[in-house]
PDB file of all heavy atoms in Angstrom:
ATOM      1  N   ALA W 238      35.675  10.327  37.355  1.00 95.00           N
ATOM      2  CA  ALA W 238      36.515   9.490  36.440  1.00 95.00           C
ATOM      3  C   ALA W 238      35.982   9.759  35.006  1.00 95.00           C
ATOM      4  O   ALA W 238      35.178   8.962  34.460  1.00 95.00           O
ATOM      5  CB  ALA W 238      36.461   8.045  36.882  1.00 95.00           C
ATOM      6  N   GLY W 239      36.517  10.751  34.335  1.00 94.00           N
ATOM      7  CA  GLY W 239      36.054  11.131  33.076  1.00 94.00           C
ATOM      8  C   GLY W 239      36.939  10.662  32.024  1.00 94.00           C
ATOM      9  O   GLY W 239      37.633   9.644  32.127  1.00 94.00           O
ATOM     10  N   CYS W 240      37.065  11.343  30.876  1.00 94.00           N
ATOM     11  CA  CYS W 240      37.883  10.963  29.712  1.00 94.00           C
ATOM     12  C   CYS W 240      38.216  12.203  28.909  1.00 94.00           C
ATOM     13  O   CYS W 240      37.269  12.997  28.573  1.00 94.00           O
ATOM     14  CB  CYS W 240      37.244   9.927  28.845  1.00 94.00           C
ATOM     15  SG  CYS W 240      37.950   9.520  27.373  1.00 94.00           S
ATOM     16  N   SER W 241      39.516  12.403  28.608  1.00 92.00           N
ATOM     17  CA  SER W 241      39.877  13.605  27.844  1.00 92.00           C
ATOM     18  C   SER W 241      39.278  13.584  26.453  1.00 92.00           C
ATOM     19  O   SER W 241      38.821  14.641  25.915  1.00 92.00           O
ATOM     20  CB  SER W 241      41.437  13.641  27.697  1.00 92.00           C
ATOM     21  OG  SER W 241      41.931  12.545  27.108  1.00 92.00           O
ATOM     22  N   LEU W 242      39.093  12.412  25.822  1.00 93.00           N
ATOM     23  CA  LEU W 242      38.417  12.354  24.614  1.00 93.00           C
ATOM     24  C   LEU W 242      36.941  12.746  24.594  1.00 93.00           C
ATOM     25  O   LEU W 242      36.489  13.576  23.815  1.00 93.00           O
ATOM     26  CB  LEU W 242      38.522  10.923  24.078  1.00 93.00           C
ATOM     27  CG  LEU W 242      39.805  10.553  23.318  1.00 93.00           C
ATOM     28  CD1 LEU W 242      39.742   9.005  23.032  1.00 93.00           C
ATOM     29  CD2 LEU W 242      39.946  11.285  21.915  1.00 93.00           C
ATOM     30  N   ALA W 243      36.295  12.238  25.548  1.00 95.00           N
ATOM     31  CA  ALA W 243      34.872  12.662  25.703  1.00 95.00           C
ATOM     32  C   ALA W 243      34.714  14.005  26.060  1.00 95.00           C
ATOM     33  O   ALA W 243      33.776  14.676  25.539  1.00 95.00           O
ATOM     34  CB  ALA W 243      34.210  11.725  26.860  1.00 95.00           C
ATOM     35  N   ASP W 244      35.546  14.548  26.919  1.00 95.00           N
ATOM     36  CA  ASP W 244      35.584  15.952  27.287  1.00 95.00           C
ATOM     37  C   ASP W 244      35.730  16.923  26.105  1.00 95.00           C
ATOM     38  O   ASP W 244      35.227  18.075  26.038  1.00 95.00           O
ATOM     39  CB  ASP W 244      36.456  16.322  28.428  1.00 95.00           C
ATOM     40  CG  ASP W 244      36.069  15.660  29.756  1.00 95.00           C
ATOM     41  OD1 ASP W 244      34.964  15.177  29.904  1.00 95.00           O
ATOM     42  OD2 ASP W 244      36.916  15.514  30.611  1.00 95.00           O
ATOM     43  N   ALA W 245      36.543  16.488  25.196  1.00 94.00           N
ATOM     44  CA  ALA W 245      36.950  17.313  24.003  1.00 94.00           C
ATOM     45  C   ALA W 245      35.918  17.254  22.977  1.00 94.00           C
ATOM     46  O   ALA W 245      36.207  17.880  21.883  1.00 94.00           O
ATOM     47  CB  ALA W 245      38.323  16.839  23.574  1.00 94.00           C
ATOM     48  N   CYS W 246      34.831  16.549  23.153  1.00 97.00           N
ATOM     49  CA  CYS W 246      33.810  16.480  22.111  1.00 97.00           C
ATOM     50  C   CYS W 246      32.461  16.843  22.675  1.00 97.00           C
ATOM     51  O   CYS W 246      31.675  15.860  22.813  1.00 97.00           O
ATOM     52  CB  CYS W 246      33.846  15.141  21.411  1.00 97.00           C
ATOM     53  SG  CYS W 246      32.804  14.827  19.978  1.00 97.00           S
ATOM     54  N   PRO W 247      32.213  18.070  23.040  1.00 97.00           N
ATOM     55  CA  PRO W 247      30.897  18.376  23.643  1.00 97.00           C
ATOM     56  C   PRO W 247      29.754  18.192  22.589  1.00 97.00           C
ATOM     57  O   PRO W 247      29.957  18.326  21.398  1.00 97.00           O
ATOM     58  CB  PRO W 247      31.049  19.876  23.889  1.00 97.00           C
ATOM     59  CG  PRO W 247      32.477  20.198  23.881  1.00 97.00           C
ATOM     60  CD  PRO W 247      33.079  19.179  22.889  1.00 97.00           C
ATOM     61  N   ALA W 248      28.604  17.727  23.094  1.00 98.00           N
ATOM     62  CA  ALA W 248      27.479  17.342  22.304  1.00 98.00           C
ATOM     63  C   ALA W 248      27.080  18.494  21.359  1.00 98.00           C
ATOM     64  O   ALA W 248      26.676  18.221  20.227  1.00 98.00           O
ATOM     65  CB  ALA W 248      26.365  16.831  23.169  1.00 98.00           C
ATOM     66  N   ASP W 249      27.023  19.677  21.902  1.00 98.00           N
ATOM     67  CA  ASP W 249      26.441  20.795  21.069  1.00 98.00           C
ATOM     68  C   ASP W 249      27.490  21.094  19.882  1.00 98.00           C
ATOM     69  O   ASP W 249      27.118  21.382  18.778  1.00 98.00           O
ATOM     70  CB  ASP W 249      26.206  22.060  21.909  1.00 98.00           C
ATOM     71  CG  ASP W 249      27.375  22.482  22.794  1.00 98.00           C
ATOM     72  OD1 ASP W 249      28.416  21.760  22.870  1.00 98.00           O
ATOM     73  OD2 ASP W 249      27.321  23.555  23.365  1.00 98.00           O
ATOM     74  N   ALA W 250      28.823  21.094  20.180  1.00 98.00           N
ATOM     75  CA  ALA W 250      29.829  21.353  19.180  1.00 98.00           C
ATOM     76  C   ALA W 250      29.764  20.262  18.143  1.00 98.00           C
ATOM     77  O   ALA W 250      29.986  20.502  16.938  1.00 98.00           O
ATOM     78  CB  ALA W 250      31.225  21.520  19.789  1.00 98.00           C
ATOM     79  N   PHE W 251      29.546  18.994  18.632  1.00 98.00           N
ATOM     80  CA  PHE W 251      29.484  17.888  17.715  1.00 98.00           C
ATOM     81  C   PHE W 251      28.239  17.992  16.812  1.00 98.00           C
ATOM     82  O   PHE W 251      28.358  17.647  15.595  1.00 98.00           O
ATOM     83  CB  PHE W 251      29.415  16.606  18.566  1.00 98.00           C
ATOM     84  CG  PHE W 251      29.533  15.251  17.661  1.00 98.00           C
ATOM     85  CD1 PHE W 251      30.696  15.077  16.965  1.00 98.00           C
ATOM     86  CD2 PHE W 251      28.476  14.384  17.616  1.00 98.00           C
ATOM     87  CE1 PHE W 251      30.814  13.921  16.207  1.00 98.00           C
ATOM     88  CE2 PHE W 251      28.547  13.255  16.837  1.00 98.00           C
ATOM     89  CZ  PHE W 251      29.734  12.994  16.149  1.00 98.00           C
ATOM     90  N   ALA W 252      27.161  18.468  17.384  1.00 98.00           N
ATOM     91  CA  ALA W 252      25.972  18.683  16.526  1.00 98.00           C
ATOM     92  C   ALA W 252      26.237  19.643  15.434  1.00 98.00           C
ATOM     93  O   ALA W 252      25.798  19.439  14.292  1.00 98.00           O
ATOM     94  CB  ALA W 252      24.864  19.104  17.375  1.00 98.00           C
ATOM     95  N   ASP W 253      26.985  20.739  15.669  1.00 98.00           N
ATOM     96  CA  ASP W 253      27.351  21.720  14.701  1.00 98.00           C
ATOM     97  C   ASP W 253      28.289  21.067  13.595  1.00 98.00           C
ATOM     98  O   ASP W 253      28.072  21.238  12.411  1.00 98.00           O
ATOM     99  CB  ASP W 253      28.078  22.895  15.261  1.00 98.00           C
ATOM    100  CG  ASP W 253      27.221  23.710  16.094  1.00 98.00           C
ATOM    101  OD1 ASP W 253      25.958  23.744  15.956  1.00 98.00           O
ATOM    102  OD2 ASP W 253      27.692  24.467  16.990  1.00 98.00           O
ATOM    103  N   PHE W 254      29.111  20.271  14.063  1.00 97.00           N
ATOM    104  CA  PHE W 254      30.076  19.519  13.143  1.00 97.00           C
ATOM    105  C   PHE W 254      29.260  18.607  12.220  1.00 97.00           C
ATOM    106  O   PHE W 254      29.524  18.525  11.017  1.00 97.00           O
ATOM    107  CB  PHE W 254      31.080  18.708  13.997  1.00 97.00           C
ATOM    108  CG  PHE W 254      32.191  18.144  13.199  1.00 97.00           C
ATOM    109  CD1 PHE W 254      33.038  18.903  12.538  1.00 97.00           C
ATOM    110  CD2 PHE W 254      32.426  16.757  13.247  1.00 97.00           C
ATOM    111  CE1 PHE W 254      34.202  18.369  11.797  1.00 97.00           C
ATOM    112  CE2 PHE W 254      33.575  16.149  12.579  1.00 97.00           C
ATOM    113  CZ  PHE W 254      34.414  16.947  11.872  1.00 97.00           C
ATOM    114  N   ARG W 255      28.322  17.871  12.707  1.00 97.00           N
ATOM    115  CA  ARG W 255      27.506  16.998  11.945  1.00 97.00           C
ATOM    116  C   ARG W 255      26.699  17.835  10.905  1.00 97.00           C
ATOM    117  O   ARG W 255      26.562  17.386   9.741  1.00 97.00           O
ATOM    118  CB  ARG W 255      26.514  16.203  12.846  1.00 97.00           C
ATOM    119  CG  ARG W 255      27.214  15.135  13.641  1.00 97.00           C
ATOM    120  CD  ARG W 255      26.123  14.395  14.476  1.00 97.00           C
ATOM    121  NE  ARG W 255      25.175  13.774  13.701  1.00 97.00           N
ATOM    122  CZ  ARG W 255      23.879  14.129  13.639  1.00 97.00           C
ATOM    123  NH1 ARG W 255      23.401  15.115  14.375  1.00 97.00           N
ATOM    124  NH2 ARG W 255      23.003  13.463  12.946  1.00 97.00           N
ATOM    125  N   ARG W 256      26.163  18.946  11.309  1.00 97.00           N
ATOM    126  CA  ARG W 256      25.357  19.744  10.386  1.00 97.00           C
ATOM    127  C   ARG W 256      26.180  20.252   9.164  1.00 97.00           C
ATOM    128  O   ARG W 256      25.687  20.451   8.139  1.00 97.00           O
ATOM    129  CB  ARG W 256      24.754  20.974  11.092  1.00 97.00           C
ATOM    130  CG  ARG W 256      23.519  20.651  11.928  1.00 97.00           C
ATOM    131  CD  ARG W 256      22.848  21.909  12.400  1.00 97.00           C
ATOM    132  NE  ARG W 256      23.527  22.521  13.443  1.00 97.00           N
ATOM    133  CZ  ARG W 256      23.256  22.292  14.766  1.00 97.00           C
ATOM    134  NH1 ARG W 256      22.420  21.289  15.116  1.00 97.00           N
ATOM    135  NH2 ARG W 256      23.986  22.916  15.775  1.00 97.00           N
ATOM    136  N   ARG W 257      27.535  20.351   9.412  1.00 97.00           N
ATOM    137  CA  ARG W 257      28.368  20.809   8.311  1.00 97.00           C
ATOM    138  C   ARG W 257      28.640  19.615   7.347  1.00 97.00           C
ATOM    139  O   ARG W 257      29.322  19.765   6.229  1.00 97.00           O
ATOM    140  CB  ARG W 257      29.619  21.407   8.812  1.00 97.00           C
ATOM    141  CG  ARG W 257      29.456  22.671   9.554  1.00 97.00           C
ATOM    142  CD  ARG W 257      30.732  23.505   9.725  1.00 97.00           C
ATOM    143  NE  ARG W 257      31.822  22.738  10.499  1.00 97.00           N
ATOM    144  CZ  ARG W 257      31.915  22.729  11.821  1.00 97.00           C
ATOM    145  NH1 ARG W 257      31.009  23.487  12.573  1.00 97.00           N
ATOM    146  NH2 ARG W 257      32.953  22.080  12.437  1.00 97.00           N
ATOM    147  N   HIS W 258      28.337  18.469   7.755  1.00 97.00           N
ATOM    148  CA  HIS W 258      28.567  17.216   6.911  1.00 97.00           C
ATOM    149  C   HIS W 258      27.301  16.382   6.867  1.00 97.00           C
ATOM    150  O   HIS W 258      27.274  15.228   7.309  1.00 97.00           O
ATOM    151  CB  HIS W 258      29.682  16.378   7.549  1.00 97.00           C
ATOM    152  CG  HIS W 258      31.064  17.190   7.721  1.00 97.00           C
ATOM    153  ND1 HIS W 258      31.301  17.947   8.779  1.00 97.00           N
ATOM    154  CD2 HIS W 258      32.076  17.392   6.827  1.00 97.00           C
ATOM    155  CE1 HIS W 258      32.445  18.468   8.622  1.00 97.00           C
ATOM    156  NE2 HIS W 258      32.973  18.174   7.514  1.00 97.00           N
ATOM    157  N   PRO W 259      26.228  16.896   6.355  1.00 95.00           N
ATOM    158  CA  PRO W 259      24.933  16.231   6.470  1.00 95.00           C
ATOM    159  C   PRO W 259      24.771  14.915   5.709  1.00 95.00           C
ATOM    160  O   PRO W 259      23.971  14.050   6.057  1.00 95.00           O
ATOM    161  CB  PRO W 259      23.970  17.278   5.906  1.00 95.00           C
ATOM    162  CG  PRO W 259      24.831  18.041   4.929  1.00 95.00           C
ATOM    163  CD  PRO W 259      26.173  18.130   5.582  1.00 95.00           C
ATOM    164  N   ASP W 260      25.697  14.642   4.712  1.00 96.00           N
ATOM    165  CA  ASP W 260      25.553  13.387   3.935  1.00 96.00           C
ATOM    166  C   ASP W 260      26.449  12.356   4.532  1.00 96.00           C
ATOM    167  O   ASP W 260      26.495  11.223   3.921  1.00 96.00           O
ATOM    168  CB  ASP W 260      26.025  13.694   2.496  1.00 96.00           C
ATOM    169  CG  ASP W 260      27.342  14.269   2.385  1.00 96.00           C
ATOM    170  OD1 ASP W 260      27.922  14.892   3.310  1.00 96.00           O
ATOM    171  OD2 ASP W 260      27.961  14.181   1.255  1.00 96.00           O
ATOM    172  N   HIS W 261      27.144  12.493   5.590  1.00 98.00           N
ATOM    173  CA  HIS W 261      28.192  11.514   6.147  1.00 98.00           C
ATOM    174  C   HIS W 261      27.404  10.574   7.112  1.00 98.00           C
ATOM    175  O   HIS W 261      26.592  10.883   7.801  1.00 98.00           O
ATOM    176  CB  HIS W 261      29.291  12.313   6.943  1.00 98.00           C
ATOM    177  CG  HIS W 261      30.258  13.081   6.124  1.00 98.00           C
ATOM    178  ND1 HIS W 261      29.876  13.896   5.078  1.00 98.00           N
ATOM    179  CD2 HIS W 261      31.606  12.975   6.052  1.00 98.00           C
ATOM    180  CE1 HIS W 261      31.022  14.355   4.503  1.00 98.00           C
ATOM    181  NE2 HIS W 261      32.071  13.796   5.121  1.00 98.00           N
ATOM    182  N   VAL W 262      28.022   9.349   7.059  1.00 98.00           N
ATOM    183  CA  VAL W 262      27.677   8.332   8.066  1.00 98.00           C
ATOM    184  C   VAL W 262      28.525   8.687   9.267  1.00 98.00           C
ATOM    185  O   VAL W 262      29.686   8.956   9.102  1.00 98.00           O
ATOM    186  CB  VAL W 262      27.939   6.915   7.649  1.00 98.00           C
ATOM    187  CG1 VAL W 262      27.819   5.867   8.783  1.00 98.00           C
ATOM    188  CG2 VAL W 262      27.236   6.532   6.311  1.00 98.00           C
ATOM    189  N   VAL W 263      27.899   8.791  10.515  1.00 98.00           N
ATOM    190  CA  VAL W 263      28.543   9.237  11.586  1.00 98.00           C
ATOM    191  C   VAL W 263      29.051   7.961  12.487  1.00 98.00           C
ATOM    192  O   VAL W 263      28.176   7.302  13.055  1.00 98.00           O
ATOM    193  CB  VAL W 263      27.688  10.105  12.511  1.00 98.00           C
ATOM    194  CG1 VAL W 263      28.416  10.529  13.801  1.00 98.00           C
ATOM    195  CG2 VAL W 263      27.313  11.353  11.730  1.00 98.00           C
ATOM    196  N   VAL W 264      30.340   7.789  12.488  1.00 98.00           N
ATOM    197  CA  VAL W 264      31.008   6.699  13.389  1.00 98.00           C
ATOM    198  C   VAL W 264      31.687   7.322  14.514  1.00 98.00           C
ATOM    199  O   VAL W 264      32.578   8.081  14.323  1.00 98.00           O
ATOM    200  CB  VAL W 264      31.896   5.902  12.516  1.00 98.00           C
ATOM    201  CG1 VAL W 264      32.511   4.741  13.379  1.00 98.00           C
ATOM    202  CG2 VAL W 264      31.314   5.322  11.269  1.00 98.00           C
ATOM    203  N   SER W 265      31.181   7.017  15.711  1.00 98.00           N
ATOM    204  CA  SER W 265      31.730   7.526  16.885  1.00 98.00           C
ATOM    205  C   SER W 265      32.481   6.465  17.736  1.00 98.00           C
ATOM    206  O   SER W 265      31.884   5.376  17.938  1.00 98.00           O
ATOM    207  CB  SER W 265      30.767   8.245  17.789  1.00 98.00           C
ATOM    208  OG  SER W 265      30.281   9.422  17.177  1.00 98.00           O
ATOM    209  N   TYR W 266      33.703   6.773  18.115  1.00 97.00           N
ATOM    210  CA  TYR W 266      34.505   5.912  19.020  1.00 97.00           C
ATOM    211  C   TYR W 266      33.680   5.888  20.313  1.00 97.00           C
ATOM    212  O   TYR W 266      33.089   6.823  20.731  1.00 97.00           O
ATOM    213  CB  TYR W 266      35.860   6.475  19.093  1.00 97.00           C
ATOM    214  CG  TYR W 266      36.846   5.704  19.912  1.00 97.00           C
ATOM    215  CD1 TYR W 266      36.861   4.332  19.875  1.00 97.00           C
ATOM    216  CD2 TYR W 266      37.945   6.440  20.527  1.00 97.00           C
ATOM    217  CE1 TYR W 266      37.928   3.654  20.628  1.00 97.00           C
ATOM    218  CE2 TYR W 266      38.951   5.734  21.203  1.00 97.00           C
ATOM    219  CZ  TYR W 266      38.921   4.360  21.246  1.00 97.00           C
ATOM    220  OH  TYR W 266      39.921   3.584  21.846  1.00 97.00           O
ATOM    221  N   ILE W 267      33.736   4.718  20.998  1.00 96.00           N
ATOM    222  CA  ILE W 267      32.980   4.568  22.229  1.00 96.00           C
ATOM    223  C   ILE W 267      33.389   5.496  23.227  1.00 96.00           C
ATOM    224  O   ILE W 267      32.614   5.843  24.288  1.00 96.00           O
ATOM    225  CB  ILE W 267      33.025   3.104  22.661  1.00 96.00           C
ATOM    226  CG1 ILE W 267      31.923   2.782  23.593  1.00 96.00           C
ATOM    227  CG2 ILE W 267      34.399   2.726  23.231  1.00 96.00           C
ATOM    228  CD1 ILE W 267      31.703   1.265  23.905  1.00 96.00           C
ATOM    229  N   ASN W 268      34.601   6.056  23.178  1.00 96.00           N
ATOM    230  CA  ASN W 268      35.030   7.012  24.142  1.00 96.00           C
ATOM    231  C   ASN W 268      34.494   8.455  23.925  1.00 96.00           C
ATOM    232  O   ASN W 268      35.116   9.402  23.663  1.00 96.00           O
ATOM    233  CB  ASN W 268      36.650   7.191  24.021  1.00 96.00           C
ATOM    234  CG  ASN W 268      37.372   5.930  24.332  1.00 96.00           C
ATOM    235  OD1 ASN W 268      36.883   4.853  23.997  1.00 96.00           O
ATOM    236  ND2 ASN W 268      38.463   6.033  24.962  1.00 96.00           N
ATOM    237  N   CYS W 269      33.119   8.488  24.081  1.00 97.00           N
ATOM    238  CA  CYS W 269      32.411   9.721  24.042  1.00 97.00           C
ATOM    239  C   CYS W 269      31.256   9.647  24.894  1.00 97.00           C
ATOM    240  O   CYS W 269      30.836   8.583  25.319  1.00 97.00           O
ATOM    241  CB  CYS W 269      32.013   9.938  22.491  1.00 97.00           C
ATOM    242  SG  CYS W 269      30.858   8.778  21.874  1.00 97.00           S
ATOM    243  N   SER W 270      30.566  10.785  25.053  1.00 97.00           N
ATOM    244  CA  SER W 270      29.406  10.865  25.972  1.00 97.00           C
ATOM    245  C   SER W 270      28.187  10.135  25.410  1.00 97.00           C
ATOM    246  O   SER W 270      28.080   9.953  24.156  1.00 97.00           O
ATOM    247  CB  SER W 270      29.078  12.292  26.243  1.00 97.00           C
ATOM    248  OG  SER W 270      28.615  12.974  25.106  1.00 97.00           O
ATOM    249  N   ALA W 271      27.219   9.954  26.235  1.00 97.00           N
ATOM    250  CA  ALA W 271      25.941   9.348  25.757  1.00 97.00           C
ATOM    251  C   ALA W 271      25.243  10.272  24.803  1.00 97.00           C
ATOM    252  O   ALA W 271      24.606   9.897  23.790  1.00 97.00           O
ATOM    253  CB  ALA W 271      24.994   9.127  26.933  1.00 97.00           C
ATOM    254  N   ALA W 272      25.367  11.593  24.993  1.00 98.00           N
ATOM    255  CA  ALA W 272      24.811  12.587  24.157  1.00 98.00           C
ATOM    256  C   ALA W 272      25.392  12.551  22.756  1.00 98.00           C
ATOM    257  O   ALA W 272      24.696  12.867  21.715  1.00 98.00           O
ATOM    258  CB  ALA W 272      24.939  13.999  24.768  1.00 98.00           C
ATOM    259  N   VAL W 273      26.712  12.266  22.708  1.00 98.00           N
ATOM    260  CA  VAL W 273      27.285  12.160  21.359  1.00 98.00           C
ATOM    261  C   VAL W 273      26.966  10.865  20.666  1.00 98.00           C
ATOM    262  O   VAL W 273      26.643  10.845  19.474  1.00 98.00           O
ATOM    263  CB  VAL W 273      28.855  12.392  21.417  1.00 98.00           C
ATOM    264  CG1 VAL W 273      29.560  11.967  20.177  1.00 98.00           C
ATOM    265  CG2 VAL W 273      29.175  13.793  21.811  1.00 98.00           C
ATOM    266  N   LYS W 274      26.843   9.777  21.479  1.00 98.00           N
ATOM    267  CA  LYS W 274      26.455   8.517  20.959  1.00 98.00           C
ATOM    268  C   LYS W 274      25.022   8.652  20.342  1.00 98.00           C
ATOM    269  O   LYS W 274      24.759   8.064  19.307  1.00 98.00           O
ATOM    270  CB  LYS W 274      26.484   7.443  22.023  1.00 98.00           C
ATOM    271  CG  LYS W 274      27.859   6.998  22.529  1.00 98.00           C
ATOM    272  CD  LYS W 274      27.757   5.880  23.516  1.00 98.00           C
ATOM    273  CE  LYS W 274      29.088   5.281  23.963  1.00 98.00           C
ATOM    274  NZ  LYS W 274      29.925   6.323  24.702  1.00 98.00           N
ATOM    275  N   ALA W 275      24.239   9.364  20.956  1.00 98.00           N
ATOM    276  CA  ALA W 275      22.807   9.669  20.526  1.00 98.00           C
ATOM    277  C   ALA W 275      22.809  10.209  19.170  1.00 98.00           C
ATOM    278  O   ALA W 275      21.690  10.103  18.453  1.00 98.00           O
ATOM    279  CB  ALA W 275      22.049  10.399  21.584  1.00 98.00           C
ATOM    280  N   GLN W 276      23.793  10.975  18.725  1.00 98.00           N
ATOM    281  CA  GLN W 276      23.807  11.601  17.449  1.00 98.00           C
ATOM    282  C   GLN W 276      24.546  10.815  16.358  1.00 98.00           C
ATOM    283  O   GLN W 276      24.759  11.285  15.289  1.00 98.00           O
ATOM    284  CB  GLN W 276      24.575  12.978  17.665  1.00 98.00           C
ATOM    285  CG  GLN W 276      23.931  13.934  18.611  1.00 98.00           C
ATOM    286  CD  GLN W 276      24.696  15.212  18.686  1.00 98.00           C
ATOM    287  OE1 GLN W 276      25.041  15.839  17.694  1.00 98.00           O
ATOM    288  NE2 GLN W 276      24.998  15.611  19.963  1.00 98.00           N
ATOM    289  N   SER W 277      24.904   9.607  16.789  1.00 98.00           N
ATOM    290  CA  SER W 277      25.789   8.779  15.944  1.00 98.00           C
ATOM    291  C   SER W 277      24.940   7.659  15.161  1.00 98.00           C
ATOM    292  O   SER W 277      23.922   7.283  15.689  1.00 98.00           O
ATOM    293  CB  SER W 277      26.840   8.091  16.712  1.00 98.00           C
ATOM    294  OG  SER W 277      27.642   9.073  17.500  1.00 98.00           O
ATOM    295  N   ASP W 278      25.521   7.348  14.052  1.00 98.00           N
ATOM    296  CA  ASP W 278      24.874   6.128  13.327  1.00 98.00           C
ATOM    297  C   ASP W 278      25.458   4.829  13.666  1.00 98.00           C
ATOM    298  O   ASP W 278      24.735   3.782  13.624  1.00 98.00           O
ATOM    299  CB  ASP W 278      25.139   6.310  11.741  1.00 98.00           C
ATOM    300  CG  ASP W 278      24.514   7.613  11.240  1.00 98.00           C
ATOM    301  OD1 ASP W 278      23.290   7.784  11.400  1.00 98.00           O
ATOM    302  OD2 ASP W 278      25.236   8.411  10.647  1.00 98.00           O
ATOM    303  N   LEU W 279      26.717   4.785  14.203  1.00 98.00           N
ATOM    304  CA  LEU W 279      27.420   3.628  14.576  1.00 98.00           C
ATOM    305  C   LEU W 279      28.485   3.936  15.579  1.00 98.00           C
ATOM    306  O   LEU W 279      29.204   4.903  15.511  1.00 98.00           O
ATOM    307  CB  LEU W 279      28.072   2.988  13.344  1.00 98.00           C
ATOM    308  CG  LEU W 279      28.910   1.758  13.515  1.00 98.00           C
ATOM    309  CD1 LEU W 279      27.932   0.552  13.867  1.00 98.00           C
ATOM    310  CD2 LEU W 279      29.557   1.391  12.171  1.00 98.00           C
ATOM    311  N   ILE W 280      28.570   3.112  16.665  1.00 98.00           N
ATOM    312  CA  ILE W 280      29.611   3.189  17.679  1.00 98.00           C
ATOM    313  C   ILE W 280      30.648   2.116  17.240  1.00 98.00           C
ATOM    314  O   ILE W 280      30.409   1.085  16.725  1.00 98.00           O
ATOM    315  CB  ILE W 280      29.067   3.004  19.006  1.00 98.00           C
ATOM    316  CG1 ILE W 280      27.976   4.024  19.309  1.00 98.00           C
ATOM    317  CG2 ILE W 280      30.164   3.076  20.107  1.00 98.00           C
ATOM    318  CD1 ILE W 280      28.495   5.463  19.210  1.00 98.00           C
ATOM    319  N   CYS W 281      31.955   2.438  17.608  1.00 97.00           N
ATOM    320  CA  CYS W 281      32.923   1.543  17.390  1.00 97.00           C
ATOM    321  C   CYS W 281      33.905   1.502  18.563  1.00 97.00           C
ATOM    322  O   CYS W 281      33.836   2.464  19.377  1.00 97.00           O
ATOM    323  CB  CYS W 281      33.741   1.747  16.109  1.00 97.00           C
ATOM    324  SG  CYS W 281      34.817   3.289  16.275  1.00 97.00           S
ATOM    325  N   THR W 282      34.831   0.542  18.600  1.00 95.00           N
ATOM    326  CA  THR W 282      35.932   0.537  19.555  1.00 95.00           C
ATOM    327  C   THR W 282      37.171   0.354  18.786  1.00 95.00           C
ATOM    328  O   THR W 282      37.146   0.134  17.537  1.00 95.00           O
ATOM    329  CB  THR W 282      35.810  -0.640  20.594  1.00 95.00           C
ATOM    330  OG1 THR W 282      36.030  -1.813  19.919  1.00 95.00           O
ATOM    331  CG2 THR W 282      34.381  -0.721  21.212  1.00 95.00           C
TER     332      THR W 282
END
């Protein structure tokens, strides 16, 4: 029982995305994997 949103945001690709925006605050919707949450500054719903 997965989630299309979580599947569409792999942790390694998200890490690359973050590196291209190093000065940004990272807000991740709760519909993501633990590995993406671990790279975030704030989770939201």
Side-chain angles (χ1 to χ4, degrees):
C240 171
S241 59
L242 276 169
D244 292 345
C246 189
D249 53 352
F251 187 64
D253 290 339
F254 190 58
R255 287 180 61 247
R256 280 191 286 268
R257 296 197 298 272
H258 304 88
D260 57 338
H261 285 52
V262 178
V263 180
V264 180
S265 292
Y266 187 30
I267 199 168
N268 297 41
C269 64
S270 68
V273 168
K274 288 181 175 70
Q276 300 179 50
S277 306
D278 298 305
L279 179 64
I280 300 302
C281 72
T282 72

